Amino acid sequence: MDPVYGSGTLLLIAALAVAVLLVLIIALRMHAFVALVLVSFGTAIAAGVPLADVPTISIAAFGSTLGTVALLVGLGVMIGRLLEVTGGAQVLADTLVSRFGEKRAPLALGVAALLFGLPIFFDAGLVVFLPIIFAVAKRFGGSVLMYALPAAGAFAAMHAIVPPHPGPVTAATELGASIGLTLLVGVVVAVVAWFVGVYVVTTAWLGKVHVPINDSVLTGGREAEHEDPPGFGHVLGILLLPLVLIGANTVLTTLRANGTVAEEGGLVDALIFIGQTPVALLIALLVATYTLAVRRYPRGEVETLLNDSLGPICAIILITGAGGMFGGVLRYSGIGAALSDSLADLGLPLIVSAFVIATILRVAQGSATVALTTTAGLISAGVADAAPSSLQLVALVLAIAAGATVLSHVNDSGFWLVGRFFGMDVKTTLRTWTVLETTLGLSIFVLALGVWAVG
């Protein structure tokens, strides 16, 4: 849809919508799902979307988000429940703690999440890691954020700047940057930015914000009985299975794209299929069900365990979908298009412009991936004129990713996912997750400036 109003008016509408949403949820205590749907409809109308199209556009954005999140969360939380009830999560947590020690448990969780986050998307990785986070948190007590934020921040860092995740791949392609060089530099930047912007910030500050441990999202309020826990290798194998399948998918897709592997081939097609994230998680769930649960419990009880695992996440899925609806309405209203003319020529150095434009788009419409891809398109002409080096092109991708990471708030579906998984209200999520995403993004940007200078 072409914007009905100018960029200034649309930004004002977006700002008022966010303000109304916060008042409804924080001050009036309206349920977040209802508030998000209500504000989404109101924002669409205020932005000039034809009344007849408002429900269609809103439902399409809601469904698009659910299509991405619901399947992954549902399969992931089933795996998590099986690991929790059989004692697998506790075994893995105990092993990590014994190897790293109590004081370095948050570091251990973060390092593990960085490894798992290379091929796995943010939401899928976080869901699979939930039982491990809760097991470690329950062992040592204190705020769950001390253990949750390093892991969640690690997945966020890898998702934002490291191929094969869609945002950095699209941005690199749009700017003409090498995917391979972006991967190599991106991994190093992700690790350093995570350590400074996530781990240090969490242990020194955010982890001390007290949020009680509430793992009912996995247990449904029922305590697990660990009479015959599986071995460490068994648990690690179940967690690595989707990692290996998704990694194989990534490698084969890349080889096929550059012509190393033929376009047609039944075996390659099959491996790419089973390496799709939902399929890989489904296979891991089937393996976990048989090797962990069926051998320990009657089949009827296994079915009950899996069914009970879905109940606590219904609200999370609906709220996340409604958050996606709100962001989708903001995008459809034309904010990105309206901002293009006013942001494309800021008179700033190219790498600073990339960061500022991505930040504004991120704050305005919520989606990090959309901010990444839109910003890359906006600055592509300027990049062609400037003729930067290969390393500087990578630095531009990193700067865009940095801007697309900062200031996650109520129009970002990931904001709701993290807040609800770890039992935080909106105010606490703003105080912690929004701050963490911002320190992570700023750390990435500082490192991008260094890469730009070296290049």
Side-chain angles (χ1 to χ4, degrees):
M1 158 178 154
D2 293 328
V4 175
Y5 305 109
S7 57
T9 302
L10 286 174
L11 280 175
L12 179 61
I13 291 172
L16 289 174
V18 171
V20 170
L21 184 61
L22 292 175
V23 169
L24 290 176
I25 296 174
I26 297 175
L28 301 183
R29 309 297 296 176
M30 181 179 287
H31 193 281
F33 173 66
V34 178
L36 282 164
V37 173
L38 178 63
V39 172
S40 295
F41 287 161
T43 303
I45 295 170
V49 177
L51 287 176
D53 294 340
V54 169
T56 303
I57 300 305
S58 301
I59 292 171
F62 181 78
S64 175
T65 304
L66 286 189
T68 303
V69 172
L71 190 59
L72 302 184
V73 171
L75 292 170
V77 81
M78 285 182 170
I79 296 172
R81 179 56 175 152
L82 293 178
L83 290 173
E84 169 70 19
V85 76
T86 60
Q90 190 65 53
V91 167
L92 193 60
D94 291 342
T95 304
L96 284 174
V97 171
S98 65
R99 300 279 174 86
F100 284 82
E102 176 181 347
K103 292 184 178 180
R104 289 185 289 179
L107 178 65
L109 288 171
V111 170
L114 285 170
L115 294 174
F116 277 82
L118 181 60
I120 295 180
F121 286 7
F122 171 78
D123 42 14
L126 185 59
V127 172
V128 172
F129 251 60
L130 281 180
I132 305 166
I133 293 169
F134 285 128
V136 174
K138 284 195 294 184
R139 174 167 178 174
F140 298 120
S143 174
V144 70
L145 297 185
M146 183 62 76
Y147 311 97
L149 292 181
F155 284 116
M158 299 301 282
H159 188 81
I161 63 178
V162 179
H165 296 286
V169 168
T170 304
T173 302
E174 185 73 28
L175 298 181
S178 165
I179 299 293
L181 188 58
T182 303
L183 172 61
L184 292 175
V185 176
V187 167
V188 176
V189 170
V191 172
V192 176
W194 169 82
F195 184 82
V196 175
V198 175
Y199 177 71
V200 172
V201 172
T202 297
T203 54
W205 177 21
L206 299 179
K208 298 176 183 178
V209 176
H210 184 69
V211 174
I213 300 165
N214 180 9
D215 62 348
S216 61
V217 67
L218 291 177
T219 66
R222 293 168 49 182
E223 289 296 324
E225 297 179 2
H226 308 154
E227 296 180 355
D228 180 26
F232 171 75
H234 186 176
V235 177
L236 186 62
I238 290 173
L239 292 176
L240 287 177
L241 179 58
L243 181 75
V244 171
L245 294 177
I246 294 169
N249 168 285
T250 302
V251 171
L252 291 173
T253 301
T254 302
L255 292 176
R256 176 170 280 183
N258 63 27
T260 305
V261 173
E263 286 289 332
E264 298 181 359
L267 177 60
V268 174
D269 288 340
L271 291 174
I272 289 176
F273 168 71
I274 64 175
Q276 298 290 331
T277 302
V279 180
L281 286 176
L282 176 61
I283 293 172
L285 173 61
L286 294 175
V287 171
T289 301
Y290 177 74
T291 62
L292 289 178
V294 170
R295 296 183 176 185
R296 289 176 170 82
Y297 307 104
R299 293 182 184 270
E301 188 172 346
V302 173
E303 181 184 3
T304 300
L305 287 172
L306 295 178
N307 183 65
D308 290 348
S309 70
L310 296 177
I313 66 166
C314 287
I316 293 173
I317 290 175
L318 288 174
I319 291 170
T320 303
M325 176 194 291
F326 183 40
V329 165
L330 291 175
R331 291 190 291 275
Y332 184 81
S333 67
I335 285 179
L339 288 175
S340 298
D341 293 337
S342 58
L343 295 179
D345 186 19
L346 293 174
L348 297 172
L350 187 58
I351 191 165
V352 178
S353 294
F355 174 74
V356 171
I357 293 171
T359 298
I360 294 174
L361 290 175
R362 160 70 155 171
V363 173
Q365 52 76 45
S367 170
T369 301
V370 170
L372 268 160
T373 55
T374 304
T375 303
L378 288 176
I379 70 169
S380 57
V383 171
D385 293 338
S389 68
S390 298
L391 196 57
Q392 287 179 328
L393 286 173
V394 173
L396 286 173
V397 174
L398 296 174
I400 295 171
T405 300
V406 301
L407 296 172
S408 169
H409 65 101
V410 293
N411 61 2
D412 176 18
S413 59
F415 173 90
W416 297 101
L417 199 66
V418 171
R420 298 296 157 162
F421 270 151
F422 299 117
M424 294 186 285
D425 58 23
V426 172
K427 187 183 298 185
T428 305
T429 311
L430 288 169
R431 289 174 56 203
T432 55
W433 179 247
T434 301
V435 171
L436 189 80
E437 283 275 82
T438 302
T439 56
L440 172 61
L442 291 174
S443 299
I444 295 170
F445 180 57
V446 170
L447 293 169
L449 290 175
V451 174
W452 177 268
V454 171

